[in-house]
Amino acid sequence: MSPLPTDSPEKGLIRRNAVYLTTIFAGAFAFEIAYDTGSNKIWDAMNRGRQWKDIKQRYMVAAEEDDE
Amino acid sequence: MSLSAASTSLLRAGARQLPTSRVAVASCQQQRGIAEATKPTFSSPFASASSSTSKIPDFSKYASKKSPRSNQVFSYFMAGSLGLASAVGAKATVQDFLVNMSASADVLAQAKVEIGLATIPEGKNVIIKWRGKPVFIRHRTAGEIQEAEDIAWEGLRDPQPDADRVQKPEWLVMLGVCTHLGCVPIGEAGDYGGWFCPCHGSHYDISGRIRKGPAPLNLEVPQYNFPTEDTLVIG
Amino acid sequence: MLARTVARSVPFRGIARQSLNRSSTRASSSSAGAESANSPFNLTVTASVATAVAAGSAAYLYGQEAFASTPAEEGLHPTAYPWEHAKWNKTFDHAGLRRGFQVYREVCASCHSLTRVPWRSFVGVMHTVDEMKAFAEENEYDTEPNDQGEIEKRPGKLSDYIPAPYPNEEAARAANGGALPPDLSLIVKGRHGGCDYIFSLLTGYPDEPPAGATVAEGMNFNPYFPGTGIAMARVLFDGVVEYEDGTPATTSQMAKDVVEFLNWAAEPEMDDRKKMGVKAIALLSGLFAISVWVKRYKWSPIKTRKLVYNPPVSRR
């Protein structure tokens, strides 16, 4: 393999197999977190106002007022 | 992969040799033409140069316009993405199977016991069941706290200061299982004002430490905390 | 594979039919009517008639719709309602669940148990911890035997399950004229039509049974109930509960809320299931697309290679 061009940003990731594999596995964890966060965000946006976290304000506040 | 590589290289070599062989065939034929009149002739059953079918088509319009290097980087990127997505899927699958083996929600819900402390008067023992085992809760008096703290604990069989065994000095919470053979000790009994195990005569003091008898260790302290002033959660 | 064999067999059948036609025309054109019964034409006619008879009798026997019960016995099919929570990207309306639990508590719970649902499962879904603790403590549960072997009563905890209104099936039947009110924990999964059926049942009681319908003593007429005679009377009337959030408590509103609540009780994991399904489908689609690319990449040298063969030429 001839060396990659020096200006390529991927150069560092691809040249050595160990670095390549490490990047893939580290990226897998990062991707999973991002994927879960993103899909939860979309889910919450689709279900705005329907979930407990959207309505619990009413009942939490009411309970505190009852205590006082 | 290696097979295809070999075949491509073979093909390439064949194509490269072609012009020379064609020239050779042509020259043969010319010679043959001269000798035809006199000698018996041999004509090759294979295609002659004039009717050659080995015309290599022009593949150049299929060739990538980009530089080979950027194509390579792209292919590495795609292979890496495949590995990445597979790793995510594999991890999620394995994780789901492992989580499946952990304690279920109904077991976890029973793993904690909440006790109201307001009903326990000072100087009284309460025994409750937690995960099938008895738990002693004693509301200690100031004198008992003093007694438990003043003992020279360094010389005991299982040396432990009272401060390590309680979170709040007035509340002593222990598993009611004798560390010898697992009997349940009797409260407010024994030579040291604490607990006494009737099975083999182990005496525990007012901090639940072993003082006399066969038991090797102090009574075990479970995990607990006080979420509010007068509630206790064990577990 | 199957499709391929079928596709392959079609031309064969066509060929066979052609040859049959050919042979029959040949037979008729030969006009040898006195020839024996073994002539190809007669054979063809016999085979055709036999096939027609076999196919016809099979169609007669199996083609008819067979009913094991009359429509009245089966019950009216419920209307398919556009349940919002049944969509692939929607969760339950949790305020509706809270109202539905109120309807269950105040109306259904006097006869129907919900034994597979613990108090703790409401926490963080439709009630706060303190509310659920208060609900749980309203009920008494048996303790473990004490030193004397006696079983005492203690107030409920979050880890306890919702108590049943009757101690056992016999008591439930005795109190309800021989009919057993079913447990509602999994009723949405356990009835044909699910939400639609229960909603239709709750709201489908006519004011009086239609003319000609026979209703047994102690039974009520409901067209959606299999057999039309149901022991449960209509329970949901406008304003039978008073919602704390001010929603008008009409019959259909209460039925909708309690059906949604019962659907939650039957599958509290619905949100996770939907999310997981969509995520898995998206990830696997991406994986599939990339794997198609990788396959093309790996195969491209093999697919694009050319084998050159110079065939022998005929002598001049």
Side-chain angles (χ1 to χ4, degrees):
Chain A
M1 269 276 158
S2 54
L4 295 167
T6 45
D7 56 339
S8 164
E10 303 89 356
K11 181 194 86 166
L13 296 182
I14 291 173
R15 175 147 340 132
R16 293 178 62 86
N17 193 39
V19 178
Y20 183 56
L21 286 181
T22 313
T23 313
I24 287 173
F25 282 106
F29 279 94
F31 174 77
E32 195 189 17
I33 293 168
Y35 193 56
D36 288 351
T37 322
S39 54
N40 280 335
K41 278 232 174 76
I42 294 170
W43 176 264
D44 290 348
M46 280 174 168
N47 290 291
R48 186 167 294 132
R50 295 172 67 81
Q51 301 194 80
W52 169 246
K53 58 184 145 200
D54 302 320
I55 61 167
K56 74 176 175 187
Q57 230 56 35
R58 295 179 228 165
Y59 305 109
M60 297 295 225
V61 171
E64 275 164 28
E65 279 169 1
D66 288 348
D67 289 346
E68 283 162 11
Chain B
M1 189 62 212
S2 63
L3 188 70
S4 71
S7 61
T8 16
S9 64
L10 260 178
L11 175 66
R12 235 175 257 151
R16 222 173 286 137
Q17 281 170 0
L18 210 68
T20 53
S21 62
R22 208 181 287 160
V23 170
V25 169
S27 64
C28 280
Q29 277 177 338
Q30 277 173 352
Q31 283 171 356
R32 219 184 295 142
I34 295 163
E36 207 169 359
T38 55
K39 286 179 184 172
T41 56
F42 169 78
S43 61
S44 165
F46 294 100
S48 62
S50 55
S51 63
S52 170
T53 56
S54 60
K55 202 172 159 192
I56 305 294
D58 182 20
F59 287 114
S60 62
K61 77 166 178 172
Y62 297 107
S64 172
K65 307 283 182 296
K66 288 178 234 146
S67 79
R69 186 59 61 193
S70 71
N71 282 341
Q72 276 168 341
V73 169
F74 181 67
S75 63
Y76 269 108
F77 169 75
M78 291 300 271
S81 307
L82 183 72
L84 190 145
S86 311
V88 170
K91 178 181 174 276
T93 309
V94 171
Q95 193 170 346
D96 283 352
F97 275 107
L98 292 181
V99 165
N100 192 30
M101 284 193 263
S102 64
S104 55
D106 59 332
V107 173
L108 288 179
Q110 287 178 331
K112 283 178 188 271
V113 172
E114 191 175 316
I115 303 118
L117 297 176
T119 53
I120 306 175
E122 205 169 84
K124 279 287 174 193
N125 280 341
V126 165
I127 303 175
I128 57 130
K129 277 239 171 100
W130 174 67
R131 297 185 190 176
K133 289 178 196 158
V135 173
F136 297 153
I137 303 169
R138 181 165 181 85
H139 195 172
R140 295 194 296 189
T141 61
E144 286 168 348
I145 297 169
Q146 196 62 39
E147 184 191 333
E149 283 172 351
D150 286 350
I151 288 163
W153 54 272
E154 291 88 349
L156 299 180
R157 185 178 298 164
D158 184 12
Q160 211 177 10
D162 187 58
D164 284 5
R165 297 181 55 78
V166 291
Q167 290 180 16
K168 288 181 180 176
E170 60 269 35
W171 294 106
L172 176 66
V173 182
M174 300 180 302
L175 280 186
V177 178
C178 181
T179 53
H180 178 219
L181 287 174
C183 292
V184 178
I186 300 166
E188 294 171 5
D191 294 355
Y192 299 91
W195 284 263
F196 171 69
C197 180
C199 293
H200 303 94
S202 297
H203 297 257
Y204 298 90
D205 68 8
I206 196 64
S207 185
R209 292 174 290 206
I210 180 64
R211 299 295 287 274
K212 199 169 115 186
L217 296 169
N218 302 335
L219 289 177
E220 197 184 330
V221 178
Q223 272 199 344
Y224 64 93
N225 60 336
F226 299 92
T228 62
E229 195 58 36
D230 56 354
T231 52
L232 166 69
V233 172
I234 303 173
Chain C
M1 193 60 207
L2 188 70
R4 209 180 296 157
T5 51
V6 167
R8 210 179 286 151
S9 71
V10 166
F12 283 136
R13 210 181 295 148
I15 291 164
R17 203 178 297 140
Q18 280 177 353
S19 63
L20 269 179
N21 290 345
R22 214 175 296 141
S23 66
S24 64
T25 49
R26 207 182 295 144
S28 61
S29 64
S30 68
S31 73
E35 233 180 318
S36 69
N38 288 345
S39 79
F41 174 70
N42 285 357
L43 278 177
T44 309
V45 167
T46 315
S48 307
V49 168
T51 309
V53 167
S57 52
Y60 176 75
L61 287 174
Y62 296 102
Q64 282 181 326
E65 258 188 288
F67 291 103
S69 54
T70 63
E73 283 172 281
E74 205 171 76
L76 200 58
H77 281 208
T79 315
Y81 292 101
W83 296 99
E84 191 72 6
H85 69 258
K87 293 178 181 169
W88 65 272
N89 59 351
K90 291 284 182 178
T91 179
F92 297 109
D93 179 10
H94 284 62
L97 292 184
R98 195 180 160 101
R99 292 194 298 268
F101 181 48
Q102 189 184 349
V103 174
Y104 168 77
R105 232 167 45 233
E106 296 180 10
V107 180
C108 317
S110 55
C111 298
H112 288 279
S113 55
L114 196 66
T115 48
R116 286 166 197 273
V117 182
W119 297 109
R120 62 182 156 78
S121 62
F122 294 86
V123 173
V125 178
M126 56 190 100
H127 284 280
T128 62
V129 182
D130 297 337
E131 285 170 332
M132 283 330 289
K133 275 186 181 165
F135 281 134
E137 281 166 10
E138 285 171 12
N139 299 278
E140 282 193 332
Y141 289 85
D142 290 343
T143 54
E144 288 185 28
N146 65 5
D147 299 343
Q148 276 73 46
E150 289 157 356
I151 292 175
E152 294 170 337
K153 291 287 181 185
R154 61 166 173 80
K157 294 184 289 192
L158 284 182
S159 58
D160 290 317
Y161 287 76
I162 294 183
Y166 303 109
N168 47 51
E169 185 184 327
E170 285 71 16
R173 282 191 190 278
N176 289 287
L180 175 70
D183 184 80
L184 296 183
S185 311
L186 295 167
I187 201 79
V188 169
K189 282 182 173 173
R191 290 288 178 274
H192 278 289
C195 290
D196 293 330
Y197 167 70
I198 297 167
F199 183 88
S200 298
L201 190 79
L202 288 174
T203 56
Y205 285 92
D207 290 337
E208 52 187 31
T214 50
V215 183
E217 185 63 33
M219 294 295 216
N220 302 278
F221 182 85
N222 192 318
Y224 296 99
F225 189 74
T228 68
I230 183 169
M232 183 175 96
R234 181 180 171 183
V235 287
L236 294 180
F237 297 94
D238 288 357
V240 76
V241 301
E242 194 178 333
Y243 283 138
E244 56 180 352
D245 59 0
T247 309
T250 60
T251 302
S252 53
Q253 177 71 43
M254 286 186 290
K256 178 250 162 203
D257 287 341
V258 82
V259 164
E260 197 164 349
F261 168 75
L262 291 176
N263 197 350
W264 168 83
E267 37 183 355
E269 80 293 346
M270 189 187 76
D271 291 7
D272 288 336
R273 175 162 61 75
K274 286 179 176 173
K275 272 193 230 179
M276 192 192 234
V278 171
K279 274 157 72 174
I281 289 171
L283 190 76
L284 291 176
S285 316
L287 264 179
F288 176 70
I290 300 177
S291 65
V292 166
W293 184 90
V294 168
K295 183 257 158 194
R296 288 170 60 94
Y297 174 72
K298 291 283 184 194
W299 276 81
S300 60
I302 298 168
K303 290 263 192 177
T304 54
R305 74 182 171 188
K306 292 275 180 228
L307 297 179
V308 175
Y309 169 60
N310 284 340
V313 288
S314 57
R315 236 165 271 176
R316 272 172 287 143

